[in-house]
Amino acid sequence: QDVSVEEQKLKELLEKEYPTNEYTGIGEGKNLIVIQVEALQNFVLFKEIDGFEITPNLNKLVKDAGTLYYDNYFQLVGKGNTSDAEVATLNSLYPSLTEPTNNLYHSNSYYGLPWILRDNGYTSWAFHGYERDFWNRDKAYKAEGFQRFIAQDDFVFDNYIGFGIPDREFFKQSLEYIKELDNIDENPFFAFLITLTSHTPFKMPPNEKYTDLGELEGSLTGNYIHAIHYADMELGRFIENLKEEGLYENSVIAIYGDHFGIAAYDEEEKVNAEKITKERYDYDTMMNIPLLIHVPGEDLNNTIPTVGSQLDFLPTILNIMGIKNEKGIMFGKDLNNKTDESYVFPMGYIKEGSVILKDEMFVRDKALFENSRAFNRKTREEIDIEKFRELSERALEEINLSNYVLKSNYIDRLLDD
Ligand code: GP9
């Protein structure tokens, strides 16, 4: 019987080895709290505007001995924005190229982080203070293995900021639910929290603005800075509250951004963003999100410069938790292993198409084989596109293969075997 090319390649991928490294198992047996922060980009970290630190709490966490900070980490979303970031992060699959992944594949079988942790004794809950069925989360979360979804109707609040529940209220009330989750049994838990307040257009009420941004005041970028500062403040408060409740020491805490907030193709905001970055604000800066993995009590304090994307979260965190993926398929790599696979292929949003990054280079434009150009990320000098032909072919092949997994509900067959 003929085995299709895709099936053959997937078989090979299933055999991919994820070697152990110095971080293997440092989070073993601990709870896992993953926080996806709305529109958090990497360029705001360690930046000041007239002495006003934009993200003091994230900065403090990066410098903490127990933290690994991934500063070359990139978004990977398609038409499903925030929800696609969730799919990629939890499942190590590329989002759909055509529709929000949760629209097309919410009833697929998955075997990502919630399921894997459940198979290892954990209880997995998701938390997001917006409408339960938005982005089909109610269905998708079930398919992805969450046992309970704490959504907008589980929170009590009467003050709205932007899209809905303010992060302060969200974290405060989520903590009460987390205490409940912690008490279910003796086993550790997995809590997946998605914040909301720093959603575009980032308009914060005057009493939640903590500085005057001068010439940036009133611009989208200025509003973004206020909103991200607020999100950072509430994150810091949440971590302190975890400490008070005795839930910090025994938990691994991962924090990352879902996607960009300030578009590099918006000429006006690009100029505003450059007032903060003090260097070119281009697609690679725009797509660059931070990832922090914090393991209390460890002496890590390391910045990992490996180029990666949300696709890489699952293998990276599993290794840290000392858990192997025994059944599913992962397209990502462990960011803590030295690798020559230093490319990512972020999708979506970008009007011109897609981006490929490799080490210090990036290639952009959809018409990669027709009219595309490549640049050195530091010097902006143009590079011969031919140098990237093989890489781009590999990336496209990989994306198509991952989409085949979704389209054919491949994981369902894997779980049946
Ligand atoms: C609301 C929020 C949506 O559920 O997560 O964010 P978006 O996808 O619009 O960035």
Side-chain angles (χ1 to χ4, degrees):
Q1 189 188 334
D2 273 357
V3 181
S4 75
V5 180
E6 283 89 357
E7 298 281 333
Q8 186 52 42
K9 282 188 194 144
L10 286 169
K11 265 203 171 132
E12 285 163 24
L13 191 58
L14 275 172
E15 277 153 26
K16 183 166 155 180
E17 290 289 330
Y18 285 89
T20 54
N21 53 45
E22 62 194 295
Y23 304 117
T24 303
I26 54 174
E28 194 172 337
K30 289 187 189 275
N31 306 312
L32 177 61
I33 301 174
V34 177
I35 307 169
Q36 178 174 295
V37 182
E38 175 65 33
L40 175 65
Q41 293 184 232
N42 197 43
F43 81 94
V44 290
L45 269 68
F46 298 104
K47 291 289 182 338
E48 288 187 357
I49 302 173
D50 287 337
F52 174 77
E53 201 179 356
I54 303 173
T55 58
N57 291 293
L58 284 167
N59 299 351
K60 193 170 123 200
L61 199 61
V62 168
K63 288 191 214 143
D64 191 288
T67 301
L68 294 169
Y69 168 48
Y70 304 82
D71 64 345
N72 258 316
Y73 194 65
F74 290 84
Q75 71 169 71
L76 190 78
V77 304
K79 299 222 164 68
N81 295 4
T82 298
S83 61
D84 274 351
E86 296 163 22
V87 172
T89 299
L90 295 172
N91 300 291
S92 196
L93 292 172
Y94 287 90
S96 160
L97 292 164
T98 52
E99 295 283 329
T101 314
N102 283 354
N103 283 8
L104 296 178
Y105 305 115
H106 56 75
S107 50
N108 267 22
S109 292
Y110 290 90
Y111 195 71
L113 196 52
W115 280 120
I116 298 170
L117 291 175
R118 274 176 74 172
D119 278 354
N120 284 273
Y122 282 66
T123 307
S124 300
W125 286 11
F127 303 71
H128 180 53
Y130 198 58
E131 293 159 12
R132 189 172 286 283
D133 56 357
F134 195 75
W135 289 131
N136 272 335
R137 281 187 177 104
D138 51 344
K139 300 189 187 94
Y141 282 174
K142 217 171 183 183
E144 287 172 306
F146 287 109
Q147 286 139 296
R148 189 167 168 195
F149 173 24
I150 309 291
Q152 182 173 269
D153 47 275
D154 293 305
F155 294 95
V156 181
F157 64 103
D158 52 19
N159 55 329
Y160 279 69
I161 301 182
F163 238 66
I165 188 170
D167 286 351
R168 184 172 310 144
E169 234 10 272
F170 170 66
F171 279 128
K172 190 173 155 208
Q173 294 182 37
S174 291
L175 186 59
E176 295 307 309
Y177 285 113
I178 289 175
K179 278 154 65 180
E180 197 185 311
L181 169 61
D182 185 45
N183 283 331
I184 288 179
D185 52 27
E186 296 294 300
N187 293 335
F189 64 78
F190 168 37
F192 182 50
L193 284 78
I194 297 122
T195 74
L196 191 61
T197 303
S198 44
H199 194 283
T200 191
F202 318 119
K203 285 215 170 107
M204 298 301 292
N207 64 332
E208 295 291 7
K209 290 185 183 178
Y210 294 90
T211 190
D212 184 325
L213 292 170
E215 57 175 343
L216 287 177
E217 204 56 61
S219 67
L220 188 75
T221 302
N223 291 344
Y224 176 71
I225 297 305
H226 284 303
I228 285 295
H229 180 77
Y230 170 86
D232 173 87
M233 181 171 75
E234 295 313 322
L235 257 174
R237 198 192 307 272
F238 177 62
I239 291 172
E240 288 310 307
N241 289 340
L242 284 173
K243 287 180 186 167
E244 266 174 34
E245 296 293 346
L247 286 160
Y248 167 80
E249 285 300 331
N250 205 26
S251 301
V252 173
I253 302 167
I255 301 170
Y256 65 93
D258 55 357
H259 53 67
F260 69 84
I262 301 297
Y265 48 77
D266 178 335
E267 286 305 323
E268 208 176 310
E269 296 311 326
K270 182 181 159 87
V271 171
N272 284 334
E274 283 172 358
K275 288 179 187 149
I276 300 163
T277 59
K278 309 274 190 249
E279 55 187 26
R280 265 185 82 126
Y281 184 82
D282 215 329
Y283 288 91
D284 52 340
T285 324
M286 171 178 107
M287 309 282 265
N288 184 200
I289 50 172
L291 168 64
L292 282 71
I293 299 179
H294 180 68
V295 190
E298 288 293 321
D299 193 6
L300 313 169
N301 196 7
N302 205 353
T303 297
I304 312 283
T306 309
V307 173
S309 77
Q310 286 156 343
L311 201 63
D312 302 320
F313 182 74
L314 181 62
T316 305
I317 198 73
L318 284 182
N319 183 53
I320 284 175
M321 303 307 286
I323 291 173
K324 280 203 175 307
N325 182 350
E326 306 279 5
K327 300 183 200 162
I329 195 148
M330 302 190 284
F331 282 82
K333 58 187 175 291
D334 181 345
L335 291 168
N336 294 325
N337 282 335
K338 292 237 174 313
T339 172
D340 61 352
E341 294 174 57
S342 291
Y343 67 90
V344 293
F345 200 162
M347 306 176 305
Y349 285 117
I350 299 187
K351 299 226 168 85
E352 295 98 312
S354 307
V355 178
I356 289 182
L357 300 125
K358 179 174 168 54
D359 302 330
E360 290 307 303
M361 322 293 183
F362 78 101
V363 183
R364 80 172 198 223
D365 288 358
K366 195 176 200 165
L368 202 59
F369 308 110
E370 293 161 30
N371 197 19
S372 192
R373 298 166 71 196
F375 302 89
N376 181 302
R377 272 173 73 197
K378 282 208 174 112
T379 64
R380 301 288 155 182
E381 273 168 37
E382 191 151 359
I383 306 157
D384 181 7
I385 187 76
E386 280 306 311
K387 289 194 175 151
F388 300 98
R389 188 171 292 276
E390 197 202 320
L391 177 70
S392 53
E393 276 166 9
R394 252 172 57 202
L396 286 174
E397 198 174 272
E398 197 175 285
I399 288 169
N400 287 333
L401 193 59
S402 177
N403 271 270
Y404 175 83
V405 167
L406 289 172
K407 275 188 204 152
S408 64
N409 198 5
Y410 181 78
I411 293 164
D412 194 58
R413 278 187 283 141
L414 278 186
L415 300 179
D416 270 355
D417 286 347

